[in-house]
Amino acid sequence: KPGRARCEDGASLRAEAIAAAARLFLQWGYAWASTAMIAEELGVTKAALYYHFPDKESLFLAVFDDYLSGVSAELEAVSPLFDDPAGNPQAAFKALARVFLARGPDSAAMQRLCFQESPRLSEEGRKILAERYHLGLVDPLASCLEKAREAGWVRPQEPGEPPRVWTFMGLLSAFFAPGHPERGSSEPGAVERSAEALARLLLSGLG
């Protein structure tokens, strides 16, 4: 059977399943990307896939765990740049922007997938996804932005304004929108130019 040999290497199959599921969820959405399609993409049986993921929802959550663990680790690495009020705010915000821009179009696509498809999950699945999203992305990003406020790099949030996290994510989304000359490019030079521009917008708009 096609899945038998690969099922023995559990860690490898699990990682490949998450990568394949991410591609198919991004392409087809949660409803249309079936476990049968994912198994076929991997060249394994559905039984081999179910050995690691009991259902499609658990695989969907694993895709976001993988994405969020990478984002969280990079945000943690960037966070010390915001600790020193005498530091370089442009460099700090540029590094923060790079966490997302360097992932290319998939960064924005994963955000859309999270918000658009989460209503299709069970109540428990939605709760788990929300908790992990806040823990892995919203909370560490908010921490960096709060430290920037405490350092005097950005002004305090005023009544009627959205939370700084969503201001950041909104500006970020513009760099993946149609019409942007380097829309979602992961080419190093394009990432650096976009990160520089996003940092400049954040500081001039909020400073």
Side-chain angles (χ1 to χ4, degrees), residues 58-141:
S58 66
L59 184 49
F60 186 80
L61 293 173
V63 166
F64 275 93
D65 278 346
D66 184 65
Y67 168 72
L68 292 169
S69 66
V71 170
S72 179
E74 291 188 38
L75 289 174
E76 184 177 350
V78 165
S79 182
L81 296 175
F82 291 82
D83 288 341
D84 182 6
N88 185 333
Q90 178 73 16
F93 274 106
K94 184 176 177 180
L96 189 63
R98 197 183 296 117
V99 170
F100 299 93
L101 291 167
R103 286 176 160 74
D106 282 355
S107 180
M110 287 295 285
Q111 299 294 322
R112 287 194 301 272
L113 185 68
C114 178
F115 289 105
Q116 291 175 0
E117 301 294 345
S118 59
R120 300 181 183 276
L121 303 180
S122 67
E123 183 178 353
E124 180 65 18
R126 291 194 299 272
K127 180 181 177 181
I128 291 170
L129 180 59
E131 289 175 349
R132 293 176 183 176
Y133 184 81
H134 276 264
L135 184 64
L137 190 154
V138 174
D139 292 348
L141 178 56

